[in-house]
Amino acid sequence: MLGGSDPGELAERAAELGYTKIAITDRNSVAGVVRAHKEAKARKLGFIPACRLDLQDGPSLMAYPKDISAWGRMCALLSKGNLRTEKGKCELYKQDVYDHKTDIIFIAIPPATLNKHFDFDDDFKHNLNAYKSAFGKMLYVAASRSYNGDDRKRFYRLSQLGVPMVATNDVYYHVAERRELQDIQTCVREKCTIGNAGYRLHANAERYFKPIEELERLFSQYPEALNRTQEIADACQFTLDDLKYLEPEWKSPDGRTADEHLRQHTINGANKIFKGDVPESIWKQVDFELEFFKKRKLAPYFLRVYEYTQKAEELKILHQGRGSAANCTVCFCLGITPVNPTKTRLLFSRFMSDARDEWPDVDVDFEHERREEIIQWIYETYGREHAAIVATVTQERHKGALRDVGKAMGMSEDTIKRLGGSIWSWRMEGLDRERIIEQGLNPDDPHLFKVLQLTQQMIGFPRQLGQHTGGFVITNNPLSDLCP
């Protein structure tokens, strides 16, 4: 669920206001945590990767993993919810959460309003008691000012539930002015316009990052609710920096090491290419590269890539390595790339060097019509729990953002199309008034100006998650230990 600010803006505002640690809780997803982690780290701000769990049979829960094992369980929980329904949805139930609860702190989210008796309904109380039985001291209940007229009554009722109340900011945007963009994002998601969105929009602009002093004032009657935020922050020591990629374990078929196997395949490939008359320059470069790979413990990686290409050879699927791998003589001898680096004087250091502590980048293109055969072979070889295609994030560009904002603001398709074809610069002070007038539009019209202003703000926001054409992540441990 997109808010009106990106993670960088939230982190920057939190640092400005003197916060020491923040958490971002996407709904049934952790898609925003990597960007938020980077932005927070750049500002020396603590960050808790967390998630809001919207359940099918109970009140929503915010989940905060305390350590790396708890993070893995939370990711496994989200994976379970993702896999039982269609793309873009996550179907979770209370029992799912109970099965993955260890070392995760939960904050239950109460109903937005009280019933006619100025109390929470029995259904919420029943579910909260069930949560209390399941989570024990790891459960809190959220309290935030919604400014719907009954905040004082709600706070009092929350304090009577027998579950520790904790102050939450309920942030959707970093400053109040972004409420407009938040409303637009809601309209895009709900496929409606500002004119008919109704109660799908928040009633006010209070979901912004409030100064600490303001929160102290708002919770002056319940200071323990604020103190508990620090209690939770201190308990959650997990950071994304704790995650380490573990490549699949390589199993020797005959007792020889991975380095010995890689050397043998390289020698065999060189002899095949040069028909037994291998130039001395090739052997010299091969020895250098193999020693480098041995030092970096990379032989299993190259053996895996060799397996992919050998499978393609077996199935007669066209394939070819590309990019900097063409600078590697071992890749040439293994048949991964057809380019001989020693002949074309390509430098191995452009592929890998001691100056760069990173994994080698070996991209292999497979014949488009038959790529799926290789994809399925990878799944069969490593298992669905250890292999998955990489996700991609589609970002809002100027034409797409204009289309989304224009529709949400009630503009006609014709007007949106004409605007999209006439505006080249997205600096508000640099808009070409003449081009807008040529399209029969009034550049001084407040409605049009607001559409352009909001479009400018939306550019760069994520629009949807997609799927890479063939990029894989393959892991030794279950992939869901790293991410959903």
Side-chain angles (χ1 to χ4, degrees):
M1 184 178 191
L2 282 174
S5 300
D6 64 43
E9 292 169 325
L10 292 171
E12 184 175 9
R13 184 60 177 159
E16 287 174 1
L17 294 174
Y19 286 85
T20 58
K21 203 167 190 177
I22 61 170
I24 286 182
T25 53
D26 289 335
R27 288 175 182 251
N28 287 353
S29 169
V30 290
V33 298
V34 173
R35 189 172 173 188
H37 166 77
K38 289 181 178 178
E39 298 288 356
K41 191 174 180 180
R43 294 164 177 82
K44 295 181 172 57
L45 185 68
F47 177 70
I48 305 170
C51 178
R52 171 172 168 162
L53 306 171
D54 289 337
L55 309 182
Q56 302 293 312
D57 59 347
S60 295
L61 291 162
M62 290 188 286
Y64 301 84
K66 292 174 64 177
D67 54 34
I68 191 170
S69 297
W71 166 261
R73 280 186 286 276
M74 190 176 78
C75 290
L77 170 65
L78 293 171
S79 300
K80 189 172 186 177
N82 291 338
L83 291 169
R84 63 159 58 116
T85 185
E86 61 187 83
K87 178 188 172 185
K89 295 183 179 180
C90 184
E91 189 177 298
L92 290 171
Y93 298 88
K94 287 186 289 188
Q95 189 58 51
D96 298 327
V97 182
Y98 299 161
D99 293 341
H100 297 79
K101 67 181 181 180
T102 307
D103 288 332
I104 300 177
I105 293 174
F106 295 97
I107 301 178
I109 301 175
T113 58
L114 301 174
N115 60 24
K116 63 181 180 180
H117 302 295
F118 300 106
D119 198 357
F120 293 109
D121 57 44
D122 291 338
D123 187 48
F124 172 70
K125 290 181 179 180
H126 172 76
N127 280 308
L128 190 65
N129 285 330
Y131 288 164
K132 188 176 179 181
S133 298
F135 306 135
K137 293 182 179 180
M138 302 291 273
L139 178 68
Y140 298 79
V141 64
S144 60
R145 293 275 186 177
S146 59
Y147 295 89
N148 289 328
D150 63 352
D151 283 341
R152 292 184 67 180
K153 295 185 182 70
R154 288 181 75 253
F155 278 21
Y156 174 74
R157 290 300 189 187
L158 286 170
S159 70
Q160 300 297 305
L161 291 172
V163 175
M165 184 170 75
V166 63
T168 58
N169 219 337
D170 196 25
V171 172
Y172 281 74
Y173 32 87
H174 70 299
V175 290
E177 291 75 16
R178 280 293 181 87
R179 183 262 175 96
E180 293 176 343
L181 185 60
Q182 163 64 32
D183 287 350
I184 292 296
Q185 298 279 24
T186 301
C187 290
V188 172
R189 185 182 69 253
E190 299 291 335
K191 296 180 174 58
C192 61
T193 68
I194 286 291
N196 60 26
Y199 289 112
R200 285 173 283 196
L201 305 180
H202 290 142
N204 51 54
E206 290 294 332
R207 269 77 176 179
Y208 67 94
F209 232 133
K210 293 181 175 63
I212 297 171
E213 299 78 14
E214 175 68 358
L215 285 175
E216 289 173 344
R217 184 185 70 82
L218 294 174
F219 287 88
S220 58
Q221 290 183 293
Y222 301 94
E224 68 279 1
L226 273 178
N227 294 337
R228 288 181 186 122
T229 63
Q230 190 64 51
E231 184 181 300
I232 294 171
D234 291 342
C236 296
Q237 293 300 310
F238 169 71
T239 167
L240 294 185
D241 287 333
D242 296 338
L243 295 176
K244 296 292 183 285
Y245 171 72
L246 294 176
E247 63 177 315
E249 183 181 353
W250 186 81
K251 297 178 181 178
S252 175
D254 55 14
R256 288 184 296 166
T257 66
D259 291 293
E260 289 171 332
H261 272 272
L262 181 61
R263 178 174 289 277
Q264 188 60 58
H265 287 312
T266 304
I267 291 171
N268 293 345
N271 284 321
K272 182 179 178 181
I273 291 169
F274 294 99
K275 297 179 173 55
D277 187 18
V278 183
E280 187 60 32
S281 60
I282 293 289
W283 289 134
K284 184 177 179 181
Q285 184 62 24
V286 162
D287 285 338
F288 168 75
E289 291 180 12
L290 289 175
E291 282 302 312
F292 183 87
F293 297 155
K294 185 176 182 179
K295 182 171 64 175
R296 288 283 191 92
K297 300 179 180 178
L298 289 171
Y301 173 83
F302 284 95
L303 287 172
R304 279 197 302 279
V305 177
Y306 178 65
E307 283 181 4
Y308 311 152
T309 55
Q310 286 302 293
K311 188 64 181 179
E313 287 281 345
E314 177 190 323
L315 298 175
K316 294 183 170 51
I317 298 174
L318 295 175
H319 63 281
Q320 180 172 300
R322 60 181 173 85
S324 60
N327 299 64
C328 175
T329 304
V330 168
C331 286
F332 168 62
C333 293
L334 293 175
I336 295 170
T337 170
V339 178
N340 182 351
T342 59
K343 185 176 181 180
T344 51
R345 297 185 180 182
L346 295 175
L347 299 175
F348 176 75
S349 57
R350 289 186 61 193
F351 176 54
M352 291 198 73
S353 76
D354 283 320
R356 300 199 308 275
D357 185 18
E358 58 189 29
W359 282 76
D361 182 19
V362 181
D363 290 325
V364 182
D365 288 332
F366 295 95
E367 183 182 347
H368 173 68
E369 290 81 1
R370 301 187 64 190
R371 184 188 298 134
E372 188 63 28
E373 294 177 51
I374 296 296
I375 288 174
Q376 292 305 319
W377 177 80
I378 291 174
Y379 278 133
E380 291 165 9
T381 302
Y382 295 96
R384 294 274 174 171
E385 291 186 350
H386 298 269
I389 293 179
V390 176
T392 57
V393 180
T394 303
Q395 291 181 301
E396 292 277 13
R397 302 302 178 191
H398 71 276
K399 285 192 176 182
L402 176 61
R403 184 173 58 252
D404 285 342
V405 174
K407 284 182 178 180
M409 291 288 284
M411 273 190 167
S412 68
E413 287 281 355
D414 179 57
T415 303
I416 294 170
K417 189 176 292 186
R418 281 187 286 156
L419 267 177
S422 64
I423 298 175
W424 300 94
S425 171
W426 282 94
R427 293 174 300 170
M428 297 304 294
E429 70 277 7
L431 291 177
D432 191 335
R433 292 174 56 85
E434 293 303 316
R435 289 184 66 87
I436 295 176
I437 293 170
E438 286 173 6
Q439 298 299 323
L441 303 171
N442 178 7
D444 298 317
D445 176 61
H447 187 263
L448 175 60
F449 183 82
K450 181 58 68 177
V451 167
L452 298 177
Q453 185 184 52
L454 291 169
T455 298
Q456 185 186 35
Q457 292 176 7
M458 189 182 274
I459 292 172
F461 269 67
R463 191 176 195 280
Q464 64 189 33
L465 282 174
Q467 181 176 291
H468 196 279
T469 54
F472 260 90
V473 175
I474 303 171
T475 58
N476 186 52
N477 297 335
L479 186 59
S480 60
D481 285 355
L482 286 176
C483 64

